Amino acid sequence: MKVIYFSRTKIRNVRPLSDQTLYYTDITVVLNGVMRYSINHEDVELHAGDVIVFQKGDVRSRQEGGAAEYYSFNIITDEDDVLPIFSGVLRNQVNEEIKTLLSLYETYTTSYSGYAEEKSKYCVRILYHTLYEMSMTSRDNSYIIQLKRYIDEHIHESLTVSQVNKSVFLSPNYCNSLFKTHTGQNLNEYIRKTKMSKAQHLIIHTNIPLKEIASALGYKQYSYFSRVFTKEFHTSPAEYRKCITVVQKK
């Protein structure tokens, strides 16, 4: 990995950049202000704490703007230097770790120590891998949001894990593992608990017959719905409603 350009810039007016197909990796870290870029002809607006990464072959442009402060790196890699590839915007990711790496890099590039150049290379490599990990976490969180939204929107159906997997085009094993890592529950558990939570709400707040509640939540057989509810709340739906009715009358 070699840095062919580096700057820490603090200016009153951001200069525009015309469309350019890059032959290097570009990392821009915004510290203050607003910057407006286009990545592969898609406009994005960056604010303090945001990072944008362009890869070799991406088309980059930048609009003229107001005051801003930012770091910019242009990096090329050797044929033997295998790095994970990612690009796009990372929102609000400039934490203390990133700031420390940027500060160290700046220090080493102005140092005349015999090892300063090697140290600066390690800083950039760590920065790149840290941003990559952040991009993966951001992507994973996006999948979790999509999965939860899909389950909520289809909770009235007889949902299967296979059906949910297909909504985000992930393999069943990876999808289930990802969901459990981020929520502590596998997809079956989450679907069941979401259905039971909605059943509980309907029993407490409506007079809808229990069999209709079961049907509205995708259970074709009331007996199965009743077993699942009883296991979740340690009482049957009928007994649960009876108790709630008694409490409400007091």
Side-chain angles (χ1 to χ4, degrees):
M1 176 184 288
K2 180 180 179 182
V3 178
I4 58 173
Y5 172 81
F6 164 75
S7 73
R8 179 177 181 178
T9 307
K10 187 175 182 180
I11 52 177
R12 292 184 178 181
N13 297 290
V14 175
R15 295 185 297 104
L17 296 172
S18 57
D19 277 356
Q20 179 185 7
T21 301
L22 301 183
Y23 67 90
Y24 50 79
T25 297
D26 179 319
I27 300 173
T28 297
V29 181
V30 182
L31 301 180
N32 289 295
V34 177
M35 301 181 75
R36 296 177 179 84
Y37 279 89
S38 173
I39 178 168
N40 296 322
H41 308 294
E42 180 179 345
D43 294 337
V44 293
E45 184 173 280
L46 306 180
H47 298 264
D50 292 344
V51 181
I52 189 167
V53 180
F54 298 86
Q55 290 292 346
K56 178 181 178 181
D58 285 341
V59 179
R60 180 199 66 188
S61 66
R62 186 174 70 197
Q63 298 178 26
E64 186 176 5
E69 182 180 4
Y70 59 96
Y71 282 91
S72 183
F73 295 84
N74 294 163
I75 302 165
I76 58 175
T77 56
D78 300 326
E79 290 183 3
D80 297 332
D81 195 1
V82 180
L83 291 174
I85 302 299
F86 71 105
S87 63
V89 178
L90 302 175
R91 298 291 183 191
N92 196 31
Q93 295 293 338
V94 183
N95 55 23
E96 290 306 313
E97 181 182 10
I98 298 296
K99 290 178 181 178
T100 298
L101 288 168
L102 293 170
S103 178
L104 284 172
Y105 179 84
E106 202 169 8
T107 298
Y108 294 142
T109 55
T110 57
S111 171
Y112 292 100
S113 161
Y115 297 101
E117 183 178 354
E118 289 301 313
K119 288 179 179 179
S120 67
K121 287 181 180 178
Y122 280 119
C123 282
V124 177
R125 183 175 290 277
I126 294 169
L127 173 65
Y128 186 93
H129 283 281
T130 300
L131 293 174
Y132 172 74
E133 288 178 351
M134 288 176 171
S135 76
M136 292 299 98
T137 299
S138 176
R139 182 206 63 178
D140 289 349
N141 287 336
S142 176
Y143 280 135
I144 300 304
I145 291 170
Q146 290 178 60
L147 288 165
K148 286 184 174 181
R149 183 185 297 123
Y150 184 88
I151 290 168
D152 191 60
E153 290 175 351
H154 295 79
I155 202 65
H156 60 282
E157 300 174 13
S158 180
L159 271 175
T160 65
V161 171
S162 176
Q163 183 182 343
V164 175
N165 293 336
K166 290 177 181 177
S167 72
V168 290
F169 305 101
L170 293 177
S171 70
N173 288 341
Y174 178 75
C175 188
N176 210 38
S177 174
L178 178 67
F179 195 85
K180 186 161 187 176
T181 297
H182 286 267
T183 69
Q185 300 174 325
N186 63 39
L187 283 166
N188 265 327
E189 290 172 329
Y190 184 81
I191 292 169
R192 187 189 73 248
K193 286 184 176 293
T194 302
K195 284 179 179 287
M196 290 301 100
S197 177
K198 290 185 180 296
Q200 182 187 38
H201 178 84
L202 291 171
I203 290 172
I204 294 173
H205 298 288
T206 75
N207 294 317
I208 298 172
L210 296 175
K211 288 186 178 181
E212 290 186 20
I213 290 175
S215 179
L217 292 171
Y219 292 95
K220 296 179 180 179
Q221 295 181 337
Y222 176 76
S223 59
Y224 179 64
F225 165 77
S226 182
R227 286 200 303 273
V228 175
F229 189 94
T230 301
K231 186 174 182 180
E232 185 71 22
F233 297 106
H234 308 292
T235 185
S236 70
E239 287 297 323
Y240 192 88
R241 173 163 277 175
K242 188 185 295 183
C243 291
I244 292 299
T245 302
V246 170
V247 170
Q248 290 174 341
K249 285 181 177 179
K250 288 183 178 180

